């Protein structure tokens, strides 16, 4: 398992973790929350990104949590819940 991790990490052809087939996007307080659960050992890892436009510039904060859930939809919903909490607590400082 660790060997495979390092092989993918240092290989020029390393594969990215398998992402969800369909992204889920929610607009929350002028932020775009895009859930992108990743398949991980038969579970779905909570991951995605938060975006916000500042004039003509779009800033993005990407995160992957250690949390895994059995369903892709459950992982997407958990990502959205966590992203809303992060936005409420940190606001625009998440882009620093």
């Amino acid at each position: 398992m660790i060997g495979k991790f390092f092989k993918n990490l240092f290989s020029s052809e390393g594969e990215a973790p398998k992402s969800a087939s369909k992204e889920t996007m929610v607009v929350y307080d002028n932020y775009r929350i895009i859930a992108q659960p990743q398949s991980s050992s038969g579970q779905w890892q909570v991951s995605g990104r938060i975006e916000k436009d500042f004039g003509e510039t779009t800033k993005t904060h990407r995160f992957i949590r250690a949390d895994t859930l059995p369903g892709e939809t459950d992982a997407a919903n958990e990502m959205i819940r966590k992203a809303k909490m992060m936005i409420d607590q940190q606001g625009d400082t998440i882009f620093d």
Side-chain angles (χ1 to χ4, degrees):
M1 187 165 135
I2 293 174
K4 184 177 178 182
F5 170 78
F6 284 112
K7 180 181 177 187
N8 286 339
L9 182 64
F10 295 111
S11 171
S12 61
E13 298 178 26
E15 292 180 27
K18 183 179 177 187
S19 293
S21 57
K22 194 163 49 166
E23 293 180 349
T24 303
M25 186 181 79
V26 173
V27 176
Y28 179 74
D29 197 24
N30 294 321
Y31 295 84
R32 287 182 303 279
I33 301 170
I34 300 96
Q36 300 171 303
Q38 296 180 357
S39 178
S40 176
S41 302
Q43 298 276 312
W44 288 93
Q45 192 165 14
V46 175
S47 68
R49 64 186 192 273
I50 301 170
E51 297 178 345
K52 185 175 181 183
D53 296 326
F54 294 88
E56 293 185 22
T57 303
T58 300
K59 293 192 176 187
T60 302
H61 175 78
R62 174 129 178 84
F63 65 92
I64 300 173
R65 295 290 182 255
D67 312 52
T68 57
L69 296 164
E72 180 179 1
T73 302
D74 294 334
N77 291 338
E78 182 66 5
M79 183 278 176
I80 292 167
R81 186 188 73 76
K82 287 183 179 248
K84 287 179 178 179
M85 186 170 42
M86 189 182 301
I87 290 165
D88 291 341
Q89 292 174 349
Q90 299 179 35
D92 292 344
T93 63
I94 61 175
F95 301 115
D96 291 342

